[in-house]
Amino acid sequence: MTSSSTKRPVHRLLRWLQLGANHVLVLMMATMFVSFILQIGFRYVSNKPLAWTDEVCVLMWLWGILWGGAFVMRNRDDIRFDVLTGHVPRGVKRVLTVVASLSAVAILLISLPASWSYISFMKVEDSAALGIRMDFFFSIYIAFVLAMVVRHTHLGIEALRNRLLDDEITGTETSGDAA
């Protein structure tokens, strides 16, 4: 079995997971939109506001932002301030990428136990209208942190291998350039 034949099922699986994550985000945004429209209709047409629509909108907004950041957004879609890195040689850019990636991974991993503790503690609280446990409300943050750890670990490893995010965007790669 060649390496290209083993990559194809993996690429298909990753593509399928990416499409699934996109569809979940679309459903979250649609749910938020429908809840918002219902709230406007009931508040201003029938003068009877619905309390649950506010909670659905907040839940879908929170989950949508973190889900999208973790599973939908690609590295090239990320906003980066490259005032410094845009004007340095490739080797320096690689070092800065590794340092930034290691810093992000370290900060996220250091914050993980406290985040887990807080989210676990929130199981004692329920939302006012829907009665959803608040640990569920905030649990997406753990998935977001873990996904960011994986993403930034990958970025750092790729920089060590002389592949930068700029290469992905421009379609170029300099394999012979040393740090």
Side-chain angles (χ1 to χ4, degrees):
M1 188 176 250
T2 64
S3 63
S4 64
S5 64
T6 58
K7 282 187 175 183
R8 288 184 186 187
V10 171
H11 286 302
R12 275 187 268 167
L13 175 64
L14 290 175
R15 181 70 182 140
W16 182 81
L17 289 173
Q18 180 70 39
L19 285 172
N22 289 347
H23 287 82
V24 169
L25 184 58
V26 167
L27 287 173
M28 287 182 201
M29 296 298 117
T31 302
M32 185 169 64
F33 178 74
V34 169
S35 297
F36 180 72
I37 296 301
L38 279 172
Q39 177 66 3
I40 291 171
F42 274 86
R43 177 171 293 187
Y44 295 110
V45 174
S46 68
N47 202 21
K48 295 180 181 179
L50 302 172
W52 64 268
T53 56
D54 286 335
E55 283 185 16
V56 169
C57 283
V58 169
L59 178 65
M60 291 298 104
W61 178 79
L62 175 68
W63 271 68
I65 294 296
L66 295 176
W67 180 272
F71 304 116
V72 175
M73 190 175 79
R74 295 167 295 186
N75 288 328
R76 67 175 178 254
D77 297 334
D78 197 5
I79 297 173
R80 298 179 189 269
F81 296 101
D82 60 354
V83 173
L84 174 65
T85 60
H87 302 289
V88 296
R90 183 178 175 81
V92 175
K93 194 180 292 190
R94 287 178 53 216
V95 170
L96 290 174
T97 300
V98 170
V99 169
S101 294
L102 282 174
S103 299
V105 168
I107 290 168
L108 289 167
L109 288 177
I110 289 169
S111 74
L112 193 58
S115 299
W116 179 263
S117 176
Y118 178 75
I119 292 169
S120 297
F121 169 75
M122 290 305 291
K123 70 182 173 196
V124 300
E125 293 287 330
D126 292 337
S127 65
L130 295 175
I132 298 171
R133 284 182 21 186
M134 295 305 282
D135 60 336
F136 172 75
F137 231 83
F138 297 117
S139 64
I140 187 64
Y141 183 71
I142 299 299
F144 172 77
V145 167
L146 295 175
M148 290 299 102
V149 165
V150 169
R151 177 177 291 173
H152 285 283
T153 300
H154 176 71
L155 284 173
I157 290 170
E158 290 297 300
L160 287 172
R161 292 180 176 169
N162 199 24
R163 290 184 223 134
L164 295 172
L165 179 65
D166 297 341
D167 299 335
E168 180 183 330
I169 294 169
T170 61
T172 62
E173 183 178 327
T174 308
S175 59
D177 203 7

